[in-house]
Amino acid sequence: MPRTDPASGGTPAGTAAEEQLAVDLAGVSVRYGPAKQPVTVLDAVDLRVRAGEFVVLVGPSGCGKTTLLRVIAGFVRPASGTALVRGAAPRPGRGAGVVFQQPRLFPWRTVGGNLGFALARHGVPRSQRPGRIAELLERVGLPGMGGRRTWELSGGQQQRVALARALAAEPELLLMDEPFAALDALTRERLQEEVRSLAGRLGTTVLFVTHSVEEAVLLGSRVLVMAAGPGRVVTDLAVPLPRDPDTDVAGLRSSAEFARLRGLLAGALLPA
Ligand SMILES: Nc1ncnc2c1ncn2[C@@H]1O[C@H](COP(=O)(O)OP(=O)(O)O)[C@@H](O)[C@H]1O
Ligand SMILES: [Mg+2]
């Protein structure tokens, strides 16, 4: 079975010191449970993500993918090792935008109200919010929908609002935890293509969790395969597919190179 270099992070030696890494985890371990009988959920994970990379995490349920994102978001503090986001310890609400599997919108606010709340928290003055809301809705393909109730929207539309909310704070880092898992296949494909080109246009660094091999290969500039018991990164696969915004994504999906990478990743996901 083909295996690429484990967890090396792919950063060429010599340039690492010059550039500010978007994410730099070194020997990060996370343990849950009582101090007497801790369960090691992540074991000495090293992960280096350069600014502008789109890194996809795949691996069996329970291997610690969500926990890894929570460390980077600053929700979970490692038991050992160091976690840095742009050179500083991660703090919740600072720096990273987060999109979950469920959109988690406030049902008592309109679509615009949900975005306005995020903008306010980000310190955007009230007078500027309507313009920014319109811009964000445009960006995620929901122009003019600010007055709608969130429960009037389809699952895909709600997830677009959740993405717009994450973008409200203009994050340099976007953490997406199986964001399309609950969507129908067509909506999912459309959103994949939009997130792919949006991240490229905005230059946002993305960490994206999925169970779909196809989604991983399409979205990732790099795919990390994790294993469970305890959670660790076992494969680091570069995805050398074109990423410029006017890429023909439908053509890409049916290309031989796409099929080759999909096969490679599927092989890496088989239990050792
Ligand atoms: N707050 C918690 N307390 C105790 N155990 C947890 C907690 N959160 C997650 N776990 C456990 O940690 C492991 C990794 O969980 P998670 O990061 O959610 O994995 P994944 O996202 O890959 O499915 C699982 O075994 C899970 O049961
Ligand atoms: Mg998870």
Short mmCIF file of all heavy atoms in Angstrom, two decimals, residues 111-169:
data_model
loop_
_atom_site.label_atom_id
_atom_site.label_comp_id
_atom_site.label_asym_id
_atom_site.label_seq_id
_atom_site.Cartn_x
_atom_site.Cartn_y
_atom_site.Cartn_z
N VAL A 111 -31.88 35.78 9.01
CA VAL A 111 -30.57 35.49 8.42
C VAL A 111 -29.63 36.67 8.64
O VAL A 111 -28.50 36.53 9.14
CB VAL A 111 -30.73 35.19 6.91
CG1 VAL A 111 -29.39 35.18 6.20
CG2 VAL A 111 -31.46 33.86 6.71
N GLY A 112 -30.12 37.87 8.29
CA GLY A 112 -29.31 39.08 8.48
C GLY A 112 -28.99 39.31 9.95
O GLY A 112 -27.89 39.76 10.29
N GLY A 113 -29.94 38.99 10.82
CA GLY A 113 -29.74 39.15 12.26
C GLY A 113 -28.62 38.25 12.78
O GLY A 113 -27.81 38.66 13.62
N ASN A 114 -28.58 37.03 12.25
CA ASN A 114 -27.50 36.12 12.64
C ASN A 114 -26.15 36.67 12.22
O ASN A 114 -25.18 36.62 12.98
CB ASN A 114 -27.72 34.74 12.01
CG ASN A 114 -28.59 33.83 12.85
OD1 ASN A 114 -28.11 33.14 13.74
ND2 ASN A 114 -29.89 33.87 12.59
N LEU A 115 -26.10 37.21 11.01
CA LEU A 115 -24.82 37.75 10.53
C LEU A 115 -24.47 39.04 11.26
O LEU A 115 -23.31 39.29 11.59
CB LEU A 115 -24.88 37.99 9.02
CG LEU A 115 -25.15 36.74 8.18
CD1 LEU A 115 -25.16 37.09 6.70
CD2 LEU A 115 -24.12 35.66 8.48
N GLY A 116 -25.51 39.86 11.52
CA GLY A 116 -25.28 41.11 12.24
C GLY A 116 -24.70 40.87 13.63
O GLY A 116 -23.82 41.59 14.09
N PHE A 117 -25.18 39.80 14.26
CA PHE A 117 -24.68 39.44 15.59
C PHE A 117 -23.18 39.11 15.52
O PHE A 117 -22.39 39.58 16.36
CB PHE A 117 -25.47 38.24 16.11
CG PHE A 117 -25.08 37.81 17.50
CD1 PHE A 117 -25.51 38.51 18.61
CD2 PHE A 117 -24.27 36.70 17.68
CE1 PHE A 117 -25.14 38.11 19.89
CE2 PHE A 117 -23.88 36.29 18.95
CZ PHE A 117 -24.32 36.99 20.06
N ALA A 118 -22.82 38.34 14.51
CA ALA A 118 -21.39 37.98 14.35
C ALA A 118 -20.55 39.22 14.05
O ALA A 118 -19.44 39.37 14.56
CB ALA A 118 -21.23 36.93 13.25
N LEU A 119 -21.09 40.10 13.22
CA LEU A 119 -20.35 41.32 12.88
C LEU A 119 -20.17 42.21 14.10
O LEU A 119 -19.11 42.80 14.32
CB LEU A 119 -21.08 42.09 11.77
CG LEU A 119 -21.05 41.42 10.38
CD1 LEU A 119 -22.08 42.07 9.45
CD2 LEU A 119 -19.65 41.49 9.77
N ALA A 120 -21.23 42.30 14.92
CA ALA A 120 -21.16 43.11 16.14
C ALA A 120 -20.08 42.58 17.06
O ALA A 120 -19.28 43.33 17.62
CB ALA A 120 -22.52 43.11 16.83
N ARG A 121 -20.06 41.24 17.20
CA ARG A 121 -19.05 40.63 18.06
C ARG A 121 -17.64 40.90 17.54
O ARG A 121 -16.69 40.95 18.28
CB ARG A 121 -19.29 39.11 18.14
CG ARG A 121 -19.64 38.67 19.52
CD ARG A 121 -19.73 37.20 19.66
NE ARG A 121 -19.53 36.47 18.42
CZ ARG A 121 -19.69 35.15 18.31
NH1 ARG A 121 -20.06 34.47 19.35
NH2 ARG A 121 -19.49 34.55 17.16
N HIS A 122 -17.56 41.04 16.23
CA HIS A 122 -16.27 41.31 15.60
C HIS A 122 -15.93 42.80 15.66
O HIS A 122 -14.87 43.23 15.20
CB HIS A 122 -16.31 40.81 14.16
CG HIS A 122 -15.02 40.95 13.42
ND1 HIS A 122 -13.82 40.49 13.92
CD2 HIS A 122 -14.73 41.49 12.21
CE1 HIS A 122 -12.86 40.74 13.06
NE2 HIS A 122 -13.37 41.35 12.02
N GLY A 123 -16.85 43.60 16.20
CA GLY A 123 -16.56 45.03 16.39
C GLY A 123 -16.91 45.90 15.20
O GLY A 123 -16.45 47.05 15.11
N VAL A 124 -17.71 45.39 14.28
CA VAL A 124 -18.12 46.20 13.13
C VAL A 124 -19.23 47.17 13.58
O VAL A 124 -20.24 46.73 14.13
CB VAL A 124 -18.63 45.30 11.98
CG1 VAL A 124 -19.15 46.14 10.82
CG2 VAL A 124 -17.52 44.35 11.52
N PRO A 125 -19.05 48.46 13.36
CA PRO A 125 -20.05 49.44 13.80
C PRO A 125 -21.40 49.18 13.14
O PRO A 125 -21.48 48.73 12.00
CB PRO A 125 -19.49 50.78 13.32
CG PRO A 125 -18.07 50.53 12.95
CD PRO A 125 -17.91 49.08 12.69
N ARG A 126 -22.46 49.51 13.89
CA ARG A 126 -23.82 49.25 13.45
C ARG A 126 -24.08 49.79 12.04
O ARG A 126 -24.70 49.13 11.22
CB ARG A 126 -24.80 49.88 14.45
CG ARG A 126 -26.25 49.59 14.17
CD ARG A 126 -27.15 50.23 15.23
NE ARG A 126 -26.90 49.66 16.55
CZ ARG A 126 -27.51 48.56 17.01
NH1 ARG A 126 -28.37 47.93 16.25
NH2 ARG A 126 -27.25 48.09 18.20
N SER A 127 -23.58 50.99 11.77
CA SER A 127 -23.87 51.64 10.49
C SER A 127 -23.29 50.86 9.31
O SER A 127 -23.79 50.95 8.19
CB SER A 127 -23.32 53.06 10.49
OG SER A 127 -21.90 53.00 10.63
N GLN A 128 -22.22 50.10 9.57
CA GLN A 128 -21.58 49.36 8.47
C GLN A 128 -22.16 47.97 8.29
O GLN A 128 -21.87 47.29 7.30
CB GLN A 128 -20.07 49.23 8.74
CG GLN A 128 -19.34 50.55 8.67
CD GLN A 128 -17.87 50.39 9.01
OE1 GLN A 128 -17.33 49.27 9.00
NE2 GLN A 128 -17.22 51.49 9.33
N ARG A 129 -22.98 47.54 9.27
CA ARG A 129 -23.40 46.13 9.23
C ARG A 129 -24.29 45.79 8.04
O ARG A 129 -24.06 44.75 7.40
CB ARG A 129 -24.07 45.76 10.56
CG ARG A 129 -23.05 45.59 11.67
CD ARG A 129 -23.70 45.25 12.99
NE ARG A 129 -23.00 45.91 14.09
CZ ARG A 129 -23.52 46.16 15.28
NH1 ARG A 129 -24.77 45.81 15.55
NH2 ARG A 129 -22.80 46.76 16.21
N PRO A 130 -25.30 46.61 7.69
CA PRO A 130 -26.16 46.22 6.55
C PRO A 130 -25.36 45.98 5.27
O PRO A 130 -25.62 45.01 4.55
CB PRO A 130 -27.11 47.42 6.41
CG PRO A 130 -27.16 48.01 7.78
CD PRO A 130 -25.77 47.84 8.34
N GLY A 131 -24.40 46.84 5.01
CA GLY A 131 -23.58 46.66 3.82
C GLY A 131 -22.77 45.38 3.86
O GLY A 131 -22.67 44.65 2.87
N ARG A 132 -22.21 45.11 5.03
CA ARG A 132 -21.40 43.90 5.18
C ARG A 132 -22.26 42.64 5.08
O ARG A 132 -21.84 41.62 4.52
CB ARG A 132 -20.65 43.92 6.52
CG ARG A 132 -19.55 44.98 6.62
CD ARG A 132 -18.34 44.63 5.76
NE ARG A 132 -17.92 43.25 5.97
CZ ARG A 132 -17.20 42.84 7.01
NH1 ARG A 132 -16.78 43.70 7.92
NH2 ARG A 132 -16.88 41.57 7.15
N ILE A 133 -23.48 42.72 5.64
CA ILE A 133 -24.39 41.56 5.55
C ILE A 133 -24.71 41.26 4.09
O ILE A 133 -24.66 40.11 3.65
CB ILE A 133 -25.69 41.83 6.36
CG1 ILE A 133 -25.37 41.84 7.86
CG2 ILE A 133 -26.77 40.81 6.04
CD1 ILE A 133 -26.51 42.35 8.74
N ALA A 134 -25.00 42.32 3.33
CA ALA A 134 -25.32 42.13 1.91
C ALA A 134 -24.14 41.50 1.17
O ALA A 134 -24.30 40.59 0.35
CB ALA A 134 -25.69 43.48 1.28
N GLU A 135 -22.94 41.97 1.49
CA GLU A 135 -21.72 41.44 0.88
C GLU A 135 -21.52 39.96 1.19
O GLU A 135 -21.23 39.15 0.30
CB GLU A 135 -20.53 42.17 1.50
CG GLU A 135 -19.66 42.98 0.59
CD GLU A 135 -18.68 43.77 1.46
OE1 GLU A 135 -17.87 43.14 2.20
OE2 GLU A 135 -18.76 45.00 1.44
N LEU A 136 -21.70 39.63 2.48
CA LEU A 136 -21.51 38.24 2.91
C LEU A 136 -22.52 37.32 2.24
O LEU A 136 -22.18 36.21 1.79
CB LEU A 136 -21.63 38.13 4.43
CG LEU A 136 -20.45 38.67 5.23
CD1 LEU A 136 -20.84 38.85 6.70
CD2 LEU A 136 -19.24 37.73 5.12
N LEU A 137 -23.77 37.77 2.15
CA LEU A 137 -24.81 36.94 1.54
C LEU A 137 -24.53 36.73 0.05
O LEU A 137 -24.74 35.64 -0.49
CB LEU A 137 -26.19 37.57 1.76
CG LEU A 137 -26.69 37.49 3.19
CD1 LEU A 137 -27.98 38.28 3.37
CD2 LEU A 137 -26.91 36.01 3.60
N GLU A 138 -24.02 37.78 -0.57
CA GLU A 138 -23.62 37.68 -1.97
C GLU A 138 -22.53 36.62 -2.13
O GLU A 138 -22.58 35.76 -3.01
CB GLU A 138 -23.09 39.05 -2.39
CG GLU A 138 -22.86 39.24 -3.87
CD GLU A 138 -24.13 39.66 -4.59
OE1 GLU A 138 -24.92 40.45 -4.02
OE2 GLU A 138 -24.33 39.18 -5.70
N ARG A 139 -21.59 36.68 -1.23
CA ARG A 139 -20.42 35.81 -1.29
C ARG A 139 -20.76 34.33 -1.17
O ARG A 139 -20.12 33.48 -1.77
CB ARG A 139 -19.47 36.22 -0.15
CG ARG A 139 -18.14 35.55 -0.18
CD ARG A 139 -17.16 36.25 0.72
NE ARG A 139 -16.62 37.45 0.12
CZ ARG A 139 -15.86 38.33 0.76
NH1 ARG A 139 -15.58 38.15 2.03
NH2 ARG A 139 -15.39 39.38 0.14
N VAL A 140 -21.79 34.02 -0.38
CA VAL A 140 -22.16 32.61 -0.20
C VAL A 140 -23.37 32.22 -1.06
O VAL A 140 -23.99 31.16 -0.86
CB VAL A 140 -22.44 32.26 1.28
CG1 VAL A 140 -21.18 32.49 2.12
CG2 VAL A 140 -23.62 33.07 1.83
N GLY A 141 -23.71 33.07 -2.01
CA GLY A 141 -24.76 32.70 -2.96
C GLY A 141 -26.17 32.83 -2.44
O GLY A 141 -27.07 32.11 -2.88
N LEU A 142 -26.39 33.76 -1.48
CA LEU A 142 -27.74 33.99 -0.96
C LEU A 142 -28.09 35.49 -1.04
O LEU A 142 -28.54 36.07 -0.05
CB LEU A 142 -27.83 33.55 0.51
CG LEU A 142 -27.65 32.09 0.85
CD1 LEU A 142 -27.65 31.90 2.37
CD2 LEU A 142 -28.77 31.24 0.24
N PRO A 143 -27.92 36.10 -2.20
CA PRO A 143 -28.13 37.55 -2.27
C PRO A 143 -29.57 37.91 -1.91
O PRO A 143 -30.51 37.21 -2.28
CB PRO A 143 -27.82 37.88 -3.73
CG PRO A 143 -28.00 36.61 -4.48
CD PRO A 143 -27.62 35.52 -3.52
N GLY A 144 -29.70 38.98 -1.11
CA GLY A 144 -31.03 39.49 -0.79
C GLY A 144 -31.82 38.66 0.20
O GLY A 144 -33.01 38.90 0.40
N MET A 145 -31.21 37.69 0.85
CA MET A 145 -31.96 36.79 1.75
C MET A 145 -31.89 37.22 3.21
O MET A 145 -32.31 36.47 4.09
CB MET A 145 -31.41 35.36 1.63
CG MET A 145 -31.45 34.79 0.23
SD MET A 145 -33.01 33.98 -0.13
CE MET A 145 -32.64 32.35 0.52
N GLY A 146 -31.39 38.43 3.48
CA GLY A 146 -31.17 38.86 4.87
C GLY A 146 -32.42 38.89 5.72
O GLY A 146 -32.35 38.68 6.93
N GLY A 147 -33.58 39.13 5.11
CA GLY A 147 -34.81 39.24 5.89
C GLY A 147 -35.48 37.92 6.18
O GLY A 147 -36.47 37.86 6.92
N ARG A 148 -34.95 36.84 5.62
CA ARG A 148 -35.61 35.53 5.80
C ARG A 148 -35.37 34.97 7.19
O ARG A 148 -34.39 35.25 7.84
CB ARG A 148 -35.07 34.55 4.74
CG ARG A 148 -35.32 34.98 3.32
CD ARG A 148 -36.76 34.79 2.89
NE ARG A 148 -37.03 33.37 2.66
CZ ARG A 148 -36.77 32.74 1.53
NH1 ARG A 148 -36.25 33.39 0.51
NH2 ARG A 148 -37.05 31.46 1.40
N ARG A 149 -36.33 34.13 7.60
CA ARG A 149 -36.17 33.39 8.85
C ARG A 149 -35.28 32.17 8.57
O ARG A 149 -35.42 31.55 7.52
CB ARG A 149 -37.53 32.90 9.35
CG ARG A 149 -38.44 34.03 9.76
CD ARG A 149 -38.04 34.52 11.14
NE ARG A 149 -38.45 35.91 11.35
CZ ARG A 149 -38.14 36.61 12.43
NH1 ARG A 149 -37.40 36.06 13.38
NH2 ARG A 149 -38.53 37.84 12.56
N THR A 150 -34.42 31.82 9.50
CA THR A 150 -33.49 30.73 9.23
C THR A 150 -34.24 29.42 8.99
O THR A 150 -33.81 28.60 8.19
CB THR A 150 -32.51 30.54 10.40
OG1 THR A 150 -33.25 30.26 11.58
CG2 THR A 150 -31.68 31.79 10.61
N TRP A 151 -35.38 29.23 9.70
CA TRP A 151 -36.10 27.95 9.55
C TRP A 151 -36.89 27.88 8.26
O TRP A 151 -37.46 26.85 7.93
CB TRP A 151 -37.00 27.69 10.76
CG TRP A 151 -37.65 28.91 11.36
CD1 TRP A 151 -37.20 29.62 12.44
CD2 TRP A 151 -38.84 29.56 10.93
NE1 TRP A 151 -38.03 30.68 12.69
CE2 TRP A 151 -39.06 30.66 11.79
CE3 TRP A 151 -39.76 29.32 9.90
CZ2 TRP A 151 -40.14 31.53 11.66
CZ3 TRP A 151 -40.84 30.18 9.76
CH2 TRP A 151 -41.02 31.26 10.64
N GLU A 152 -36.91 28.97 7.50
CA GLU A 152 -37.52 28.90 6.17
C GLU A 152 -36.53 28.37 5.13
O GLU A 152 -36.91 28.08 4.00
CB GLU A 152 -37.95 30.30 5.69
CG GLU A 152 -39.06 30.93 6.49
CD GLU A 152 -39.32 32.36 6.05
OE1 GLU A 152 -38.46 32.99 5.41
OE2 GLU A 152 -40.41 32.85 6.36
N LEU A 153 -35.28 28.28 5.51
CA LEU A 153 -34.24 27.92 4.54
C LEU A 153 -34.02 26.41 4.49
O LEU A 153 -34.24 25.71 5.48
CB LEU A 153 -32.92 28.59 4.92
CG LEU A 153 -32.91 30.09 5.11
CD1 LEU A 153 -31.51 30.56 5.43
CD2 LEU A 153 -33.44 30.80 3.89
N SER A 154 -33.54 25.93 3.35
CA SER A 154 -33.15 24.52 3.22
C SER A 154 -31.87 24.30 4.03
O SER A 154 -31.19 25.25 4.42
CB SER A 154 -32.91 24.18 1.76
OG SER A 154 -31.74 24.85 1.31
N GLY A 155 -31.53 23.02 4.23
CA GLY A 155 -30.31 22.69 4.96
C GLY A 155 -29.07 23.30 4.31
O GLY A 155 -28.18 23.82 4.98
N GLY A 156 -29.04 23.25 2.98
CA GLY A 156 -27.90 23.80 2.26
C GLY A 156 -27.81 25.30 2.42
O GLY A 156 -26.72 25.87 2.60
N GLN A 157 -28.97 25.97 2.38
CA GLN A 157 -28.98 27.42 2.56
C GLN A 157 -28.56 27.79 3.99
O GLN A 157 -27.82 28.76 4.20
CB GLN A 157 -30.37 27.98 2.26
CG GLN A 157 -30.72 27.93 0.77
CD GLN A 157 -32.17 28.32 0.51
OE1 GLN A 157 -33.06 28.00 1.30
NE2 GLN A 157 -32.40 28.99 -0.60
N GLN A 158 -29.02 27.01 4.97
CA GLN A 158 -28.62 27.30 6.35
C GLN A 158 -27.10 27.14 6.52
O GLN A 158 -26.46 27.91 7.22
CB GLN A 158 -29.34 26.35 7.31
CG GLN A 158 -30.82 26.64 7.41
CD GLN A 158 -31.50 25.82 8.50
OE1 GLN A 158 -30.88 25.42 9.47
NE2 GLN A 158 -32.79 25.58 8.33
N GLN A 159 -26.56 26.13 5.83
CA GLN A 159 -25.12 25.93 5.95
C GLN A 159 -24.35 27.07 5.26
O GLN A 159 -23.27 27.45 5.69
CB GLN A 159 -24.75 24.55 5.39
CG GLN A 159 -23.48 23.94 5.91
CD GLN A 159 -23.34 23.88 7.41
OE1 GLN A 159 -23.43 24.90 8.10
NE2 GLN A 159 -23.10 22.71 7.96
N ARG A 160 -24.95 27.63 4.22
CA ARG A 160 -24.35 28.81 3.59
C ARG A 160 -24.33 29.99 4.56
O ARG A 160 -23.36 30.75 4.61
CB ARG A 160 -25.14 29.22 2.34
CG ARG A 160 -24.97 28.29 1.16
CD ARG A 160 -25.97 28.66 0.06
NE ARG A 160 -25.99 27.64 -0.98
CZ ARG A 160 -25.18 27.66 -2.05
NH1 ARG A 160 -24.37 28.66 -2.23
NH2 ARG A 160 -25.22 26.68 -2.92
N VAL A 161 -25.41 30.13 5.32
CA VAL A 161 -25.46 31.22 6.31
C VAL A 161 -24.39 30.99 7.39
O VAL A 161 -23.70 31.92 7.81
CB VAL A 161 -26.86 31.33 6.96
CG1 VAL A 161 -26.87 32.43 8.02
CG2 VAL A 161 -27.93 31.61 5.90
N ALA A 162 -24.26 29.72 7.79
CA ALA A 162 -23.23 29.41 8.80
C ALA A 162 -21.83 29.75 8.28
O ALA A 162 -20.98 30.24 9.02
CB ALA A 162 -23.31 27.93 9.20
N LEU A 163 -21.63 29.49 6.99
CA LEU A 163 -20.33 29.84 6.38
C LEU A 163 -20.16 31.36 6.34
O LEU A 163 -19.09 31.88 6.68
CB LEU A 163 -20.26 29.24 4.97
CG LEU A 163 -19.02 29.57 4.15
CD1 LEU A 163 -17.75 29.08 4.85
CD2 LEU A 163 -19.12 28.94 2.74
N ALA A 164 -21.22 32.07 5.96
CA ALA A 164 -21.16 33.53 5.94
C ALA A 164 -20.87 34.08 7.33
O ALA A 164 -20.09 35.02 7.49
CB ALA A 164 -22.48 34.10 5.41
N ARG A 165 -21.49 33.47 8.34
CA ARG A 165 -21.24 33.91 9.72
C ARG A 165 -19.78 33.71 10.10
O ARG A 165 -19.16 34.57 10.74
CB ARG A 165 -22.16 33.13 10.67
CG ARG A 165 -21.93 33.49 12.14
CD ARG A 165 -22.80 32.66 13.05
NE ARG A 165 -22.59 31.24 12.82
CZ ARG A 165 -23.35 30.28 13.32
NH1 ARG A 165 -24.37 30.59 14.09
NH2 ARG A 165 -23.09 29.02 13.06
N ALA A 166 -19.22 32.57 9.67
CA ALA A 166 -17.80 32.33 9.97
C ALA A 166 -16.91 33.33 9.24
O ALA A 166 -15.87 33.74 9.75
CB ALA A 166 -17.42 30.90 9.60
N LEU A 167 -17.35 33.72 8.03
CA LEU A 167 -16.55 34.67 7.25
C LEU A 167 -16.70 36.11 7.75
O LEU A 167 -15.91 36.99 7.39
CB LEU A 167 -16.94 34.61 5.77
CG LEU A 167 -16.63 33.30 5.03
CD1 LEU A 167 -17.22 33.33 3.63
CD2 LEU A 167 -15.13 33.03 4.99
N ALA A 168 -17.72 36.35 8.58
CA ALA A 168 -18.01 37.72 9.04
C ALA A 168 -16.81 38.34 9.74
O ALA A 168 -16.57 39.54 9.64
CB ALA A 168 -19.23 37.72 9.97
N ALA A 169 -16.07 37.51 10.46
CA ALA A 169 -14.93 38.03 11.21
C ALA A 169 -13.66 38.08 10.35
O ALA A 169 -12.57 38.28 10.89
CB ALA A 169 -14.69 37.18 12.46
#
